[in-house]
Amino acid sequence: MHLHILGICGTFMGGLALIARAAGHKVTGCDAGVYPPMSTQLSEQGIELIEGFGPEQMALKPDLYVIGNVVSRGNPLMEAILESGARYVSGPQWLGDNILPGAHVLAVAGTHGKTTTSSMLAWILEAAGLAPNFLIGGVAQDLHVSARYDPARRPFVIEADEYDTAFFDKRSKFVHYRPRTAVLNNLEYDHADIFPDLAAIETQFHHLVRTIPASGRIIRPTHSEALDRVIARGCWSETVTFGADGAWQAGAPDDSGAFEVRRDGVDMGTVRWTLGGEHNRMNALAALAAAEHAGVPAAEGVEALSRFGGVKRRMELRGTVNGVKVYDDFAHHPTAIATTLEGLRRQVGPARILAVLEPRSNTMKLGAMAARLPDSLRDADLVFCFGARAGKHALGWNPAEVLAPLGERASSYDDIDALVAAVTHAARPGDQVLVMSNGGFGGIHGKLLAALEARG
């Protein structure tokens, strides 16, 4: 079958394209701004990429158009598809109908930590010799790719996003996955462009819970009122908890970051790694509980996590110049920003942290979380915020006003070069520069490293 994928360079749709190709389909695709690294991965697999969404692509005459959620009404190719009466389907539905049936689907959902927990889980299964299939919104250092598929393998780890499926299907993506093992990592308000309030997101999580079989397992943290409400609406599967008072617990980390894991009060071993932060210990517990449901003993999972190398763009050290370290992190929600800074603070002690922030997500651009930003940045010594005044990523609020409670610690810029110059001027040996954005941020990491090198 020939599939033509609209929005192919997004992480999810690009991964889906790789999976479809591995399943034996002919795959072509298009996007606005075909760009690496996804474009490189796709081209290496013989997938033809077309720039833009021109209606002339109808001449390809694929058997099916697979639509990503970046496509909306008014898209010229989509309008041509609708006029022609050609067959089309959303990416998540195609995956759910054609790839996931018969698989042991291990889905990782939640407001935060989906990519990291999915990567940990896939790595544990890989280390146990299960060679899982997976589709993850990032690249784990140990797995090397974001998606992999072999129809002979039953485990399938998938990052289960609550964002809507497509312009014609406003259900969350994860309702199409029908998991047997589901991690509900946490639940907060997010995606203000899609959901009016937290209750609307809870409804989508409840729909996910309704699809899990009685022999399935739901893994969730203790002390989450939002998830309490989700489960109270109906639950037909085993529920396993992690965190304080949970079935799975993590001991306090030592100076190296290593911590003990306990399952029902029994010591399962020590995870020996350098990843910082309470959030990563919770992600680890969730991954261990999910891997156990797929047949990996807890002690074996703990040993595997001790060899986990982390995920790109999750506290990834991009370089060190003259004693100044520059990190890249995907944090873009106030809770994620706060936990990321907290983890770095515990790691570096009294060293200065320079937080460089791009509020780029739709939720942040709309200002739904802006009031929470000052408190989320409390562990930073200096804060540099980028806010475009016009264009696709323009903010609907004034960063200078929002960050005013931080006083002289905070400054805002609408020009990346000016931002780079300010950070470079402020940085001194021993500083930790933490760049946080869910986008490319104009290649700021390379610009900062180059500017620091030039400064000498």
Side-chain angles (χ1 to χ4, degrees), residues 237-251:
S237 313
E238 175 196 22
T239 300
V240 173
T241 57
F242 64 89
D245 307 319
W248 291 79
Q249 296 183 8

Side-chain angles (χ1 to χ4, degrees), residues 22-255:
H25 299 285
K26 176 183 177 180
V27 180
T28 56
C30 62
D31 212 327
V34 174
Y35 50 88
M38 184 55 74
S39 62
T40 305
Q41 288 188 61
L42 296 171
S43 296
E44 289 173 349
Q45 296 299 315
I47 296 173
E48 179 187 354
L49 304 178
I50 301 172
E51 173 65 36
F53 296 95
E56 67 276 2
Q57 294 175 45
M58 295 291 293
L60 293 170
K61 296 183 178 180
D63 299 292
L64 183 67
Y65 292 93
V66 184
I67 313 300
N69 68 0
V70 299
V71 176
S72 59
R73 286 304 303 266
N75 177 292
L77 178 53
M78 192 68 234
E79 293 299 317
I81 293 169
L82 293 172
E83 286 293 341
S84 72
R87 294 178 62 215
Y88 66 91
V89 69
S90 72
Q93 184 173 344
W94 183 86
L95 188 73
D97 289 346
N98 295 276
I99 299 296
L100 299 182
H104 180 153
V105 178
L106 301 99
V108 180
T111 310
H112 314 293
K114 292 186 292 292
T115 298
T116 300
T117 306
S118 299
S119 298
M120 289 179 180
L121 174 55
W123 169 244
I124 293 170
L125 299 181
E126 178 82 355
L130 298 180
N133 298 316
F134 52 84
L135 177 50
I136 302 171
V139 179
Q141 308 282 8
D142 311 284
L143 299 171
H144 310 298
V145 292
S146 61
R148 185 173 74 188
Y149 182 63
D150 177 349
R153 301 294 181 178
R154 189 165 180 260
F156 196 114
V157 177
I158 187 164
E159 182 173 331
D161 191 357
E162 72 272 24
Y163 208 77
D164 66 353
T165 297
F167 76 86
F168 51 86
D169 183 354
K170 290 304 178 182
R171 295 172 295 172
S172 291
K173 291 178 182 177
F174 56 40
V175 301
H176 294 284
Y177 301 155
R178 311 287 177 85
R180 181 165 296 277
T181 307
V183 173
L184 310 183
N185 224 17
N186 39 63
L187 183 49
E188 289 190 65
Y189 183 56
D190 198 3
H191 308 306
D193 55 322
I194 300 294
F195 301 110
D197 50 35
L198 179 57
I201 307 177
E202 290 174 7
T203 295
Q204 295 297 321
F205 273 71
H206 172 61
H207 291 166
L208 173 63
V209 168
R210 295 181 73 92
T211 68
I212 302 168
S215 60
R217 173 179 288 187
I218 295 170
I219 299 150
R220 53 150 300 182
T222 55
H223 310 302
S224 169
E225 294 182 2
L227 289 174
D228 288 344
R229 291 191 292 268
V230 169
I231 298 299
R233 294 173 70 169
C235 182
W236 299 265
S237 313
E238 175 196 22
T239 300
V240 173
T241 57
F242 64 89
D245 307 319
W248 291 79
Q249 296 183 8
D254 63 19
D255 292 340

Side-chain angles (χ1 to χ4, degrees), residues 269-289:
T270 301
V271 175
R272 303 185 185 280
W273 64 9
T274 58
L275 275 65
E278 175 72 8
H279 59 297
N280 274 325
R281 291 190 290 280
M282 295 302 101
N283 292 339
L285 294 180
L288 289 166

Side-chain angles (χ1 to χ4, degrees), residues 287-306:
L288 289 166
E292 182 191 59
H293 195 232
V296 180
E300 189 174 339
V302 166
E303 194 278 330
L305 280 183
S306 295

